[in-house]
Amino acid sequence: MPAERLKPGAPEEADAAPGLTPEEAFDALYAHAAPGLVHQTFLLTGRRALSRESVERAFQQAWQRWPEVAVDADPVGWVRAAAYEYALSPWHRLRRAHKHPDAPSAEAGRRGQELLSALLELPPPYRRTVLLYDGLGLDLPDTAAETEASTPAAANRLLHARTVLGRKDPDLAEPEELRRRLDALVAEEPVTDLPAARAVRTGSEHRIRTWTRAVVGVTAVLVAMTGFTAVTAPTRYVPVNAPGETVNGVPVRGGPEKLRPEDLELRDRLRSEPNPGPERLVPVAG
């Protein structure tokens, strides 16, 4: 099997000619790495259309952040990580077009179909670990870093995945046989038609313009709403008196009874004509 289909490296053209323009360097990276990345992503998802979409979206992100990708020690690894993250997003399960995996090509045979089915039964992090370590030949620390796991966790995932695959087919428990089967499964996949590099760059720039316009539009709406609120808001707080309501079933408030007219007359008389009596005895100091 052509090894570059499963394990692409950095394009030699970009290294040999440091005077390339950003467009030329991006096009060289895309031409060298994109086909292999599509085949790798197919092993992760089992869906050809999603694989092409993931790689195209990853290269669009790479062009948006090209100053960072261009100086990266492994630009292919940068794009690969972006493609894998997009391909393994759980939101794709809600899309009807990507709900069911595609069948392997007729050339893959029974063993290829069994291997792909066994891979797709693994949890996504385990599947990704197997592909990076056994398929691409990354060492364990690099595999752990790309899957955002510790080295012991990546090792445990790898051992568990090999155990599960070995239950499906005892030969797959051997790393060499697993690697050979992965290579064969990728080699038997038909060549994928990808959009031109220029179209990917154009799509990336169009996406940036669209998002920029959306952000500007939302910002303008928020500013307008804030200004309208500031103009129409009251300058001081005016308390609102709630209307009274009749409440049934509440007991009569306790306390003294209401005075009758004769009671009021007596009270006024007592206040106006105090009853004269003996003066209060005041002790006199001796």
Side-chain angles (χ1 to χ4, degrees), residues 7-267:
K7 185 181 178 182
E12 298 178 359
E13 295 82 359
D15 295 337
L20 291 176
T21 64
E23 291 79 7
E24 293 172 343
F26 175 86
D27 294 354
L29 177 66
Y30 180 81
H32 186 85
L37 289 176
V38 171
H39 292 299
Q40 295 172 33
T41 312
F42 174 71
L43 294 182
L44 283 179
T45 63
R47 296 157 176 83
R48 294 181 178 87
L50 179 58
S51 302
R52 293 191 296 269
E53 179 182 332
S54 301
V55 173
E56 183 177 354
R57 184 65 62 86
F59 272 100
Q60 288 180 352
Q61 295 178 12
W63 181 242
Q64 294 171 12
R65 303 171 62 178
W66 185 248
E68 172 188 342
V69 178
V71 299
D72 194 275
D74 183 14
V76 175
W78 194 102
V79 181
R80 177 180 63 234
Y84 286 9
E85 289 291 337
Y86 183 85
L88 294 178
S89 173
W91 294 106
H92 296 309
R93 300 174 186 174
L94 305 177
R95 302 171 60 184
R96 181 176 300 179
H98 304 317
K99 193 171 183 180
H100 302 289
D102 301 327
S105 61
E107 292 78 6
R110 180 181 59 82
R111 285 191 170 186
Q113 296 177 2
E114 292 177 351
L115 174 58
L116 183 60
S117 299
L119 283 174
L120 296 180
E121 291 178 2
L122 293 173
Y126 293 74
R127 199 184 316 155
R128 186 174 181 177
T129 302
V130 169
L131 180 59
L132 292 174
Y133 188 83
D134 288 325
L136 301 181
L138 271 65
D139 59 17
L140 199 56
D142 288 342
T143 301
E146 189 159 328
T147 56
E148 299 180 352
S150 64
T151 301
N156 289 332
R157 289 175 180 178
L158 183 63
L159 293 176
H160 177 76
R162 287 177 176 175
T163 301
V164 173
L165 294 176
R167 293 172 185 167
K168 301 290 183 180
D169 187 344
D171 295 338
L172 295 178
E174 297 295 330
E176 291 299 328
E177 178 64 17
L178 177 58
R179 184 174 296 110
R180 189 190 67 80
R181 295 271 192 93
L182 289 172
D183 292 347
L185 182 60
V186 171
E188 288 156 356
E189 272 295 303
V191 178
T192 304
D193 294 330
L194 294 172
R198 181 177 180 180
V200 175
R201 288 190 280 107
T202 303
S204 176
E205 295 166 357
H206 176 72
R207 184 178 295 274
I208 292 177
R209 289 193 296 269
T210 301
W211 276 105
T212 302
R213 292 170 183 170
V215 170
V216 171
V218 171
T219 304
V221 171
L222 291 177
V223 170
M225 293 177 62
T226 304
F228 177 78
T229 303
V231 171
T232 58
T235 57
R236 61 187 181 87
Y237 175 71
V238 179
V240 179
N241 296 325
E245 296 181 0
T246 303
V247 180
N248 297 325
V250 178
V252 178
R253 184 175 61 179
E257 298 181 358
K258 186 177 180 180
L259 297 178
R260 297 171 296 177
E262 54 269 24
D263 296 331
L264 294 174
E265 181 180 357
L266 177 61
R267 184 188 65 180

